[in-house]
Amino acid sequence: MMSSTESEHLIEKAAQIIRRSKFLIALTGAGISAESGIPTYRGSEGLWRRYRPEELATPEAFQRNPALVWEWYRWRMEIVFSAKPNPAHKALAELENIGILKCIITQNVDGLHQEAGSKCVVELHGSIRRIRCTNCNFKLHLSKPPEETLPRCPHCGSILRPDVVWFGEPLPKEEWEKALKLVGQCDCMLIVGTSGVVMPAALLPFLAKDRGAKIIEVNIEDTPITRIADISIRLKAGEALTKLVTFLKNLRD
Ligand code: NAD
Ligand code: ZN
């Protein structure tokens, strides 16, 4: 972590860059929801029993043992449904509200950006608040985890699955195209709480950089994005984004 004067200085510089930008977008990952109590995949809390997410969040794991994968998702759904947006989610919602932030591209499946009031949110990896049929077009929005060990489709009887993107699966075409379009328009990208290793989302910062956009990173650790970032702020998302909003508001007045 940084000293507080060092980080204040960087946040102030970030605010000036954002102030001068015309089309700011954000890219978020699991780290922005860590302060809401939702475990990230990478890091010491990224384990569930003796399994790693990469062993559970795959189509192969679901085929082999759907009950196990469902047990893990019920556990994650419980956490998500009782979680509240934290100051980092709220800061991004406020930046959109005051016209500074154009849209959020998120890898998160927890829906907390929308809960915080963000309107433009592109969900690259789906939502854990939705389930869908493995066979037909049936989809359902949830407000609590399903009770059955293996939930079944009311139309065709096939097994239902979380409406999320698993490792090895393609991203939803429409969402990916929206993300590429936003990256093509942005002149500044604020990247918060992503390890920058999950493809193809991890390409987006590099595409933005290639077209000359400024890159501002907020993460508690170095990532592969750090070396292309104009500014890297080594603080927790909540503290960093709250201060950023304060600086931006002062610059406006
Ligand atoms: P990741 O778990 O790979 O990386 C999390 C990153 O956040 C790390 O770089 C870590 O240093 C950083 N971080 C942790 N706490 C932080 C904090 N308080 N402030 C700022 N940064 C913090 O997450 P990822 O890059 O999003 O990729 C993992 C995949 O996992 C995604 O595809 C996503 O779909 C899925 N996922 C989603 C959730 C969620 O929806 N909340 C949770 C876990 C995993
Ligand atoms: Zn069905």
Side-chain angles (χ1 to χ4, degrees), residues 9-20:
H9 178 64
L10 284 178
I11 295 170
E12 192 172 6
K13 270 175 67 183
Q16 284 159 355
I17 290 177
I18 289 173
R19 200 65 218 127
R20 284 194 295 269

Side-chain angles (χ1 to χ4, degrees), residues 29-31 33-35 38-42 76 107-110 125 193-195 198 219-221 236-237:
S33 295
E35 290 160 81
I38 301 175
T40 57
Y41 275 5
R42 288 165 190 84
R76 292 185 60 201
Q107 299 166 83
N108 294 347
V109 295
D110 56 37
H125 294 162
T194 177
S195 58
V198 176
N219 198 306
I220 50 175
E221 290 172 3
K236 287 189 174 181

Side-chain angles (χ1 to χ4, degrees), residues 27 191 194-196 202 205-206 215 217 223-229 232:
L27 174 68
I191 302 170
T194 177
S195 58
F206 292 85
I215 306 290
E217 177 184 55
T223 74
I225 298 159
T226 305
R227 69 180 173 77
I228 61 156
S232 276

Side-chain angles (χ1 to χ4, degrees), residues 41 52-66 69 72-73 161 164-169:
Y41 275 5
R52 296 178 333 121
E54 291 87 341
E55 297 168 38
L56 292 165
T58 70
E60 294 77 22
F62 192 66
Q63 269 203 323
R64 215 168 28 237
N65 194 344
V69 173
W72 181 54
Y73 272 97
R161 58 167 279 180
V164 298
V165 177
W166 283 330
F167 292 105
E169 292 185 318

Side-chain angles (χ1 to χ4, degrees), residues 133-138 152-160:
C133 182
T134 50
N135 177 51
C136 73
N137 288 329
F138 177 76
R152 298 251 169 205
C153 177
H155 296 301
C156 74
S158 303
I159 298 180
L160 297 172

Side-chain angles (χ1 to χ4, degrees), residues 72-252:
W72 181 54
Y73 272 97
R74 264 198 304 278
W75 171 75
R76 292 185 60 201
M77 284 173 174
E78 294 279 3
I79 296 172
V80 164
F81 284 123
S82 58
K84 300 260 178 308
N86 68 53
H89 299 108
K90 289 181 189 161
L92 291 188
E94 187 170 3
L95 285 185
E96 181 185 22
N97 198 22
I98 59 183
I100 292 178
L101 177 66
K102 299 297 181 285
C103 200
I104 299 170
I105 302 168
T106 189
Q107 299 166 83
N108 294 347
V109 295
D110 56 37
L112 288 181
H113 286 303
Q114 292 91 330
E115 290 283 303
S118 287
K119 299 281 179 296
C120 186
V121 183
V122 177
E123 290 180 318
L124 287 182
H125 294 162
S127 172
I128 205 172
R129 297 171 189 254
R130 262 188 337 253
I131 53 179
R132 67 174 165 92
C133 182
T134 50
N135 177 51
C136 73
N137 288 329
F138 177 76
K139 274 196 194 209
L140 185 67
H141 283 267
L142 302 174
S143 51
K144 61 179 177 54
E147 271 147 33
E148 311 88 321
T149 320
L150 272 186
R152 298 251 169 205
C153 177
H155 296 301
C156 74
S158 303
I159 298 180
L160 297 172
R161 58 167 279 180
D163 193 11
V164 298
V165 177
W166 283 330
F167 292 105
E169 292 185 318
L171 304 196
K173 193 163 173 284
E174 207 178 303
E175 306 306 299
W176 180 243
E177 280 168 4
K178 276 188 208 163
L180 288 179
K181 187 166 176 224
L182 286 164
V183 170
Q185 290 173 287
C186 81
D187 58 359
C188 187
M189 184 185 261
L190 174 61
I191 302 170
V192 189
T194 177
S195 58
V197 298
V198 176
M199 286 294 171
L203 291 173
L204 298 174
F206 292 85
L207 295 176
K209 182 76 181 180
D210 275 353
R211 63 181 307 281
K214 297 282 184 202
I215 306 290
I216 300 165
E217 177 184 55
V218 176
N219 198 306
I220 50 175
E221 290 172 3
D222 272 30
T223 74
I225 298 159
T226 305
R227 69 180 173 77
I228 61 156
D230 295 277
I231 295 188
S232 276
I233 301 163
R234 288 282 154 276
L235 279 181
K236 287 189 174 181
E239 184 183 351
L241 295 188
T242 306
K243 286 189 174 153
L244 183 66
V245 171
T246 307
F247 275 119
L248 277 165
K249 283 182 160 173
N250 288 340
L251 286 178
R252 247 164 48 121

